[in-house]
Amino acid sequence: MQSPLPVRDGVNATRLRLPEGGPWDTAMDYMMHRWGHIDPQGIEDRFDAGEIVGEGGIPLSRHTRLEDHTFIWYYRTLPPETRLPVEINILHQDGHLLVVDKPHFLPTTPGGTYIQESALVRLRNQLELPDLIPMHRLDRMTAGVLLFSTNPQTRGKYQVLFEKRQVQKEYECVSAAEPAPGYPAVEFPVVVRNRMTKSRSYLLAEVIDGEPNAETRIERLETFDGGPAAGADGAGQRLARYRLEPHTGKTHQLRVHMASLGLGIVNDAFYPDLLDKAPDNYAKPLQLLARGIRFVDPVYGRPVEYRSSLELSEAAPVRP
């Protein structure tokens, strides 16, 4: 359902579904029930200013009956945010697509404590493109190639490509060169298949019994000696760079599949072990990068490929 309110400061208006009935006479009564303990005066002021609207953009008043509207829209009061010390690099832009290198630590879309500090909102404001919409997502801790639609008229053509899995993605990661103790040796390339599930109420994705719904091809590209940061005792360890080709797109799929081989990705705070929550350490990003993406462009009718210009900080040093 399209919002009757335009994007403001790069952020979409919030949609709220009103209940069909209850102990509330008006839409404002219900909003007071939900959020009156936080900012009751602010809610009243928004109704008085006509900033809360229903279907068709009709402004609601303090006395609008609850049953008059099913959905209402309004702009949230955004908390102040400290700008993250990372930048977005634009790789390609035309009348239909925007392709960027998303840095580590920046979420793709607004959520939780990150609203203005998301790739979507930053780019909407920077490029004055309020209709910008991501075609897929990268985890906050994953860097690399990220596609956005800039044109609502052609957006569906690109969405179909992702829905039909006609987009090939390539990732790189840095992990240990050999599996952790207790895990069997791996002969590369290897394809990992299993069934994964992810609950909204739990941080981690889990592997469960059942028909596989997640598949990744993993290839070891090179091995090298890691720097002091690579080993817990400061002595370093033997590391490797891997190419990951996911054939499905489950949440945390690549991190779970690498950990399942005893090859947890360097600086992963979730897999194989969930570490205590700590402030972001910008010197130790997750060593996972969306290296490239390719598909047949549905507007221009030709194959295209976009490659990240970023490098993983723990990857093998460039040789002279």
Side-chain angles (χ1 to χ4, degrees):
M1 182 179 293
Q2 186 171 358
S3 171
L5 294 176
V7 170
R8 186 167 77 178
D9 297 327
V11 181
N12 295 87
T14 296
R15 186 182 72 176
L16 173 67
R17 184 186 183 98
L18 296 178
E20 295 181 358
W24 313 284
D25 294 326
T26 67
M28 191 178 82
D29 290 341
Y30 179 66
M31 290 194 73
M32 284 293 191
H33 164 74
R34 293 284 301 269
W35 296 290
H37 62 288
I38 299 175
D39 185 18
Q41 187 60 54
I43 293 174
E44 292 180 352
D45 291 344
R46 289 182 186 184
F47 275 99
D48 292 342
E51 293 184 351
I52 299 177
V53 305
E55 289 93 336
I58 299 172
L60 277 59
S61 75
R62 296 189 186 205
H63 310 293
T64 300
R65 295 176 304 171
L66 184 69
E67 62 268 22
D68 286 354
H69 294 272
T70 301
F71 293 99
I72 62 176
W73 288 262
Y74 62 95
Y75 295 112
R76 288 178 290 170
T77 300
L78 302 180
E81 295 180 57
T82 301
R83 186 174 176 86
L84 298 177
V86 295
E87 300 299 331
I88 305 172
N89 180 37
I90 295 176
L91 300 173
H92 170 82
Q93 183 176 358
D94 61 30
H96 307 281
L97 277 185
L98 173 69
V99 186
V100 304
D101 254 341
K102 186 190 82 66
H104 294 102
F105 303 103
L106 188 71
T108 298
T109 56
T113 58
Y114 302 98
I115 306 297
Q116 294 290 332
E117 284 306 287
S118 62
L120 176 61
V121 175
R122 272 202 192 182
L123 290 166
R124 279 178 172 177
N125 291 329
Q126 175 187 336
L127 302 176
E128 299 182 350
L129 292 173
D131 289 327
L132 201 66
I133 293 293
M135 291 289 90
H136 60 115
R137 300 191 182 194
L138 296 178
D139 290 343
R140 187 171 80 88
M141 292 304 185
T142 303
V145 177
L146 182 61
L147 269 64
F148 293 84
S149 163
T150 62
N151 188 337
Q153 277 66 52
T154 58
R155 182 167 298 152
K157 295 179 183 292
Y158 294 97
Q159 289 173 328
V160 166
L161 294 181
F162 286 90
E163 291 168 0
K164 293 187 175 181
R165 297 182 182 175
Q166 294 175 347
V167 175
Q168 289 75 51
K169 300 176 184 177
E170 176 190 339
Y171 290 73
E172 288 181 10
C173 75
V174 174
S175 303
E178 300 296 335
Y183 288 84
V186 181
E187 184 175 345
F188 295 101
V190 64
V191 175
V192 178
R193 297 185 185 92
N194 53 30
R195 186 166 189 84
M196 292 179 54
T197 183
K198 173 70 168 65
S199 167
R200 286 178 176 269
S201 61
Y202 188 54
L203 284 173
L204 303 182
E206 298 178 281
V207 175
I208 60 175
D209 293 334
E211 183 179 352
N213 63 358
E215 179 179 321
T216 307
R217 181 183 184 276
I218 302 170
E219 178 182 358
R220 188 167 62 192
L221 300 176
E222 62 177 336
T223 62
F224 55 92
D225 290 329
D233 60 0
Q237 68 182 85
R238 193 73 178 162
L239 297 178
R241 184 168 61 92
Y242 297 85
R243 177 186 292 123
L244 313 176
E245 297 176 333
H247 296 164
T248 53
K250 297 298 180 182
T251 300
H252 294 177
Q253 175 178 318
L254 301 179
R255 298 161 72 173
V256 170
H257 282 180
M258 288 299 293
S260 73
L261 299 176
L263 298 168
I265 298 173
V266 171
N267 299 333
D268 193 341
F270 282 19
Y271 308 97
D273 300 310
L274 179 61
L275 305 182
D276 291 337
K277 183 174 176 58
D280 289 339
N281 184 343
Y282 297 103
K284 293 187 175 183
L286 175 70
Q287 295 298 285
L288 179 60
L289 173 68
R291 171 59 71 192
I293 191 167
R294 62 185 185 276
F295 53 90
V296 176
D297 191 290
V299 174
Y300 300 108
R302 63 174 182 264
V304 295
E305 182 174 10
Y306 302 104
R307 306 284 295 179
S308 174
S309 61
L310 300 174
E311 297 295 339
L312 293 169
S313 58
E314 292 290 341
V318 177
R319 297 176 177 84

